[in-house]
């Protein structure tokens, strides 16, 4: 049995997905119906009381398969256009901060607040060390790439 919260989440997800499909002018009514039926089926199988696992690469593979199924006559450039648009949408999920937030949440749920906080502090320290090492190894190239300003032979600052 699902909780009212899970039912509300499903309703909101379904409404959002339906709106997204309506905005896709290149989809026919049959295409939208096909996608909605698969989405509904996936929603019913998903336990919304469990935290979602983010897998941007899996989402991308699924989207590529959907593009192939929905646009079988599309040439390579059209296919890449749709996949690139989806990649742009997924870009925030690939950011380190988002990945860290998801991992922190998982650790907090499984190991407790203290262990999760310790992991996050260690992760931030590692990232800071890596940035410092990169800065030392690659000094600011902008400063060395600039030509020195021509010297004013009259010394009047202009």
């Amino acid at each position: 049995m699902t909780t009212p919260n899970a039912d509300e989440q499903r309703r909101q997800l379904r409404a959002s997905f339906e709106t997204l499909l309506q905005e896709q002018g290149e989809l026919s009514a049959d295409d939208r119906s096909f996608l909605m039926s698969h989405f509904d089926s996936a929603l019913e199988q998903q336990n919304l009381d469990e935290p979602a696992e983010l897998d941007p690469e899996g989402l991308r593979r699924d989207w590529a398969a959907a593009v192939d199924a929905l646009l079988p006559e599309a040439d390579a450039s059209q296919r890449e256009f749709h996949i690139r648009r989806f990649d742009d949408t997924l870009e925030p999920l690939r950011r380190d901060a988002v990945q860290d937030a998801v991992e922190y949440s998982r650790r907090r749920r499984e190991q407790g607040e203290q262990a999760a906080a310790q992991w996050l502090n260690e992760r931030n320290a590692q990232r800071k060390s890596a940035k410092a090492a990169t800065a030392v190894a690659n000094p600011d190239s902008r400063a060395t790439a600039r030509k020195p300003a021509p010297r004013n032979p009259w010394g009047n600052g202009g």
Side-chain angles (χ1 to χ4, degrees):
M1 184 171 161
T2 60
T3 64
N5 187 32
D7 289 338
E8 179 62 18
Q9 284 179 300
R10 279 189 179 87
R11 188 193 65 69
Q12 288 176 357
L13 286 170
R14 188 182 194 291
S16 294
F17 188 68
E18 194 167 22
T19 300
L20 176 71
L21 290 178
Q22 293 297 327
E23 293 171 354
Q24 306 307 311
E26 66 273 4
L27 293 178
S28 70
D30 288 339
D31 291 339
R32 282 191 283 278
S33 177
F34 171 79
L35 287 171
M36 282 307 303
S37 69
H38 283 281
F39 186 79
D40 287 339
S41 174
L43 267 182
E44 286 305 314
Q45 295 173 16
Q46 178 67 39
N47 181 356
L48 295 178
D49 292 326
E50 292 289 322
E53 296 294 326
L54 295 178
D55 178 13
E57 298 314 312
L59 291 170
R60 185 184 195 280
R61 284 189 303 274
D62 291 346
W63 178 247
V67 167
D68 290 341
L70 292 170
L71 304 170
E73 291 88 28
D75 64 21
S77 67
Q78 290 171 322
R79 183 180 186 278
E80 285 304 310
F81 169 77
H82 289 289
I83 292 173
R84 207 171 318 114
R85 271 181 50 192
F86 193 71
D87 281 343
D88 292 345
T89 303
L90 291 178
E91 192 277 326
L93 298 179
R94 292 184 175 107
R95 292 182 184 152
D96 288 339
V98 172
Q99 294 294 321
D100 286 354
V102 170
E103 180 62 15
Y104 172 83
S105 177
R106 184 191 70 77
R107 286 176 184 258
R108 183 174 180 218
R109 183 180 65 252
E110 294 175 3
Q111 301 170 358
E113 177 75 34
Q114 188 174 9
Q118 181 179 349
W119 172 82
L120 186 59
N121 288 336
E122 289 170 2
R123 178 81 170 133
N124 288 336
Q126 289 170 350
R127 188 167 284 127
K128 192 173 184 178
S129 294
K131 276 186 181 178
T134 301
V136 169
N138 301 321
D140 189 2
S141 60
R142 291 176 290 163
T144 58
R146 278 187 289 185
K147 288 183 176 180
R151 188 164 178 247
N152 182 349
W154 295 280
N156 62 0

